[in-house]
Amino acid sequence: MRGFTLRAVPVYFVAFACGCFGKQDVQRTDGAPPSPTHAYWRQVSAVLAQKPAGENIPAYVSLVRTQTDGLRDLPTDGVDADLVSAVASVIKCEDVVLQRADLIDNDPARLKESKELAQAFSSANRAAAESKKRLKALQPALNSRHGGGFAPMG
């Protein structure tokens, strides 16, 4: 019985080590620091992952303003040109959303009063959402171009 237990200990140890340590999210195995493109991707992901403080138009507009300012402030030196271009497109579309929100003074009642303003606001939001989808769709291309390490954006 003791012989069986002593032979089973290394097996359990290996199984434990593989189960606990094999599930880590390893992005780079060469020990090199993340590239500017990797760092930028993570920062953009963090900015876009922010949630609104409430469920009303002023809260959403405030979030869009915070996200847009946050994206503008990120350094782009050495970052993949396609990624920088995609983020610039998101910023441009979100600026249009902010302009439309200023037209209605962040008041949902004004959207109900004017069908034209409601359509303009809605189309600006759709364009911004499409721009964010295009940004998120860059992940596989960036992984292949830069050797992996780009987690999907939420």
Side-chain angles (χ1 to χ4, degrees):
M1 179 73 168
R2 186 180 299 177
F4 173 75
T5 305
L6 291 176
R7 281 182 262 151
V9 168
V11 172
Y12 287 126
F13 177 75
V14 169
F16 174 77
C18 290
C20 292
F21 302 115
K23 300 228 185 239
Q24 291 179 346
D25 185 22
V26 179
Q27 292 186 3
R28 297 189 59 133
T29 57
D30 58 3
S35 72
T37 302
H38 284 89
Y40 188 77
W41 178 265
R42 282 193 299 275
Q43 291 169 331
V44 168
S45 294
V47 168
L48 294 178
Q50 298 171 0
K51 301 293 181 201
E55 293 290 324
N56 53 24
I57 288 181
Y60 284 114
V61 170
S62 176
L63 174 67
V64 169
R65 188 167 278 116
T66 301
Q67 288 178 337
T68 305
D69 291 343
L71 292 174
R72 266 195 199 96
D73 292 341
L74 295 176
T76 59
D77 296 335
V79 177
D80 186 282
D82 290 340
L83 178 55
V84 172
S85 175
V87 171
S89 175
V90 169
I91 292 170
K92 182 179 175 184
C93 290
E94 295 289 23
D95 280 339
V96 174
V97 170
L98 292 172
Q99 290 170 356
R100 300 293 190 264
D102 287 341
L103 285 175
I104 62 166
D105 296 325
N106 298 336
D107 185 9
R110 295 218 32 215
L111 287 177
K112 292 177 184 174
E113 293 171 1
S114 172
K115 187 175 183 177
E116 293 81 23
L117 286 175
Q119 287 176 342
F121 190 69
S122 177
S123 68
N125 278 313
R126 271 194 304 277
E130 287 299 318
S131 183
K132 287 179 183 177
K133 283 181 186 176
R134 286 190 298 275
L135 171 64
K136 292 174 183 180
L138 277 178
Q139 187 243 351
L142 292 172
N143 271 330
S144 66
R145 250 185 273 166
H146 298 281
F150 294 91
M153 286 186 183

